[in-house]
Amino acid sequence: MSDAKKMVKLCVHALEEKKAADIRVLDIEKITTIADYFIIASGSNRNQVQAMADSVEEEMGRAGFQAKNVEGYRNANWILLDYGDVVLHIFDEENRLFYDLERIWRDGTEVDKDAF
């Protein structure tokens, strides 16, 4: 299993542990050099969104992966965790609807999160 796929599996598990809503995995490898996968998830409030980000960072850290960049943690309406090949977007419900990354990145291929 490639590192990117292992990271997706770990991230999805960490998000599910914190009851993330509507977790989507987009394979964007063929359309951009930014990353291989985007993971998009949402939480119902600021505390849950931060807890989801904390859970991902903890689980990824135990596996030896460190985020290259983290944005938006303090406000927690959209937290971006950049692991290089995998980029997570954790939204509150309102901002997820507003930014609609699934539509913007619709040229990517949605992958079943349980396939990893």
Side-chain angles (χ1 to χ4, degrees):
M1 179 180 290
S2 71
D3 276 353
K5 289 181 179 181
K6 182 177 180 184
M7 285 191 277
V8 170
K9 183 176 183 169
L10 291 167
C11 291
V12 167
H13 179 262
L15 292 168
E16 289 176 337
E17 287 290 307
K18 296 300 177 186
K19 309 295 186 218
D22 196 17
I23 301 169
R24 303 276 179 98
V25 178
L26 299 178
D27 182 341
I28 58 169
E29 182 179 21
K30 293 182 174 90
I31 61 172
T32 186
T33 58
I34 294 172
D36 291 346
Y37 297 97
F38 272 178
I39 301 173
I40 304 168
S42 48
S44 59
N45 59 56
R46 179 178 187 221
N47 290 337
Q48 184 187 17
V49 170
Q50 287 176 330
M52 290 162 49
D54 292 342
S55 179
V56 168
E57 286 190 288
E58 183 179 318
E59 189 145 338
M60 293 289 279
R62 280 197 305 263
F65 300 110
Q66 297 300 317
K68 297 176 188 311
N69 196 21
V70 177
E71 298 283 336
Y73 185 85
R74 181 173 289 171
N75 292 333
N77 51 15
W78 176 2
I79 299 176
L80 182 137
L81 300 165
D82 181 356
Y83 286 94
D85 291 338
V86 176
V87 176
L88 281 86
H89 301 272
I90 305 172
F91 289 96
D92 64 20
E93 293 166 349
E94 180 181 338
N95 282 284
R96 182 163 182 181
L97 290 172
F98 180 78
Y99 289 103
D100 197 7
L101 291 186
E102 291 95 329
R103 182 187 56 78
I104 293 170
W105 289 93
R106 67 181 170 262
D107 291 340
T109 305
E110 187 167 351
V111 181
D112 181 2
K113 64 182 174 58
D114 297 321
F116 294 89

